Amino acid sequence: MSVLLLLALCTLATGCGASYPPQPDINPSHLLSLDCNSSYVLDIASDILQDINRDRQDGYVLSLNRVRDAREDRQRAGLGSLLYFTLDVLETGCHVLSRTPWKDCGVRFFHQSVYGQCKAIFYINKEKRIFYLPAYNCTLRPVSRRVVSMTCPDCPSTSPYDLSNPRFMETATESLAKHNSNSPSKQYSLVKITKTFSQWVFGPAYFVEYLIKESPCNKSQGSSCALESPDTVPVGICEGSMSQSPNSPGKLISVKCNFFNSQAPTPRGENVAVNQRPANPTEAEEPQQQNTAPTNSPTKAVLKGSVQFLPDWGKKLEDSQEKEPVETVPVQLDLTTNPQGEPLDLSFLFLEPMKEKLVVLPFPSKGWRSAECPGPAQKDDPRLLPP
């Protein structure tokens, strides 16, 4: 027993002369990894997504499916923290121009689903009550028609960005005409088609979603009105359908329109105000106020980001004979490639002169994350989760 004890102590103390390779630094950027399911992280993720949706002028509101990764880089004393979040998202049925909060929007049916991922850098300074999103990027992609047909072969086939079929324009035109005929006075015209679907039931059926604007002509003027609307701002979105049964000589047309709030969206870069929120994000929030930047502050863009749409990857797989996509929703967000970081000027957020600048790091790689990440998904379907 004494020999075995001696050998054990030797192994623990020095390894008895054995040589082991050095252990890699599992978190080289020294960022603090956060719990993706904590109320603090979920509240910040909700704010990030709301800011992303508010910044966009086109497309549909994105909702949070899960927090994939969350890191914090604590700045010097008094400067708060920069957060690096990766969010898995789903497209909803609300258009971004409606300015509907994402929590009030329902996600689409599986056969219409668009899923993706957003990376965001978020600045939080509890002491100054500043919550600000300087950068984000998102990549979205529809669920492959190949996958949908395996699950629901009779579901409508989605082609959200393919308008080559003239039947879609016909559906939009005739359904809008039906809406105008039922309108007591105001008339509307087509701005653009935003979604298209098709299905075979008893015959071909076409479904469209499209933005509308108000026409300068009223119903009583009819075809005698030749005015062109100078305003192209969409005021609502319509869902129209057109189908025809072999036993019916006419077309079956349906339409439903929803109108946006009268408050026009703020164009990007015109407002540099920063929302004040509770110092503790888990507290119930009061109605949002604004912490206005100094009048001598230079004009800055409120947000810097984009949303990229990728096509159906099923066709690409058929052409290349691959079994699985390598990466279906690649998202890049690097304000710097310097591992030591670069200064980030957010001085316009502060009421008083700011002597020091924040330091932004390269966005952390997905190779290392906390055991608490990713968090649970709202839609726990692997076909709706980026790999």
Side-chain angles (χ1 to χ4, degrees), residues 130-152:
I130 295 174
F131 298 77
Y132 178 75
L133 181 65
Y136 73 90
N137 273 333
C138 303
T139 301
L140 306 177
R141 166 163 271 160
V143 173
S144 171
R145 280 177 281 182
R146 178 173 171 230
V147 174
V148 171
S149 63
M150 294 171 59
T151 308
C152 180

Side-chain angles (χ1 to χ4, degrees), residues 228-248:
E228 290 290 337
S229 174
D231 191 2
T232 59
V233 176
V235 297
I237 189 167
C238 298
E239 298 177 8
S241 69
M242 181 181 71
S243 61
Q244 188 168 8
S245 170
N247 300 324
S248 175

Side-chain angles (χ1 to χ4, degrees), residues 117-136:
Q117 193 172 95
C118 295
K119 291 184 177 180
I121 297 176
F122 192 74
Y123 176 54
I124 179 171
N125 189 322
K126 295 180 183 179
E127 181 181 344
K128 303 294 184 182
R129 296 171 68 85
I130 295 174
F131 298 77
Y132 178 75
L133 181 65
Y136 73 90

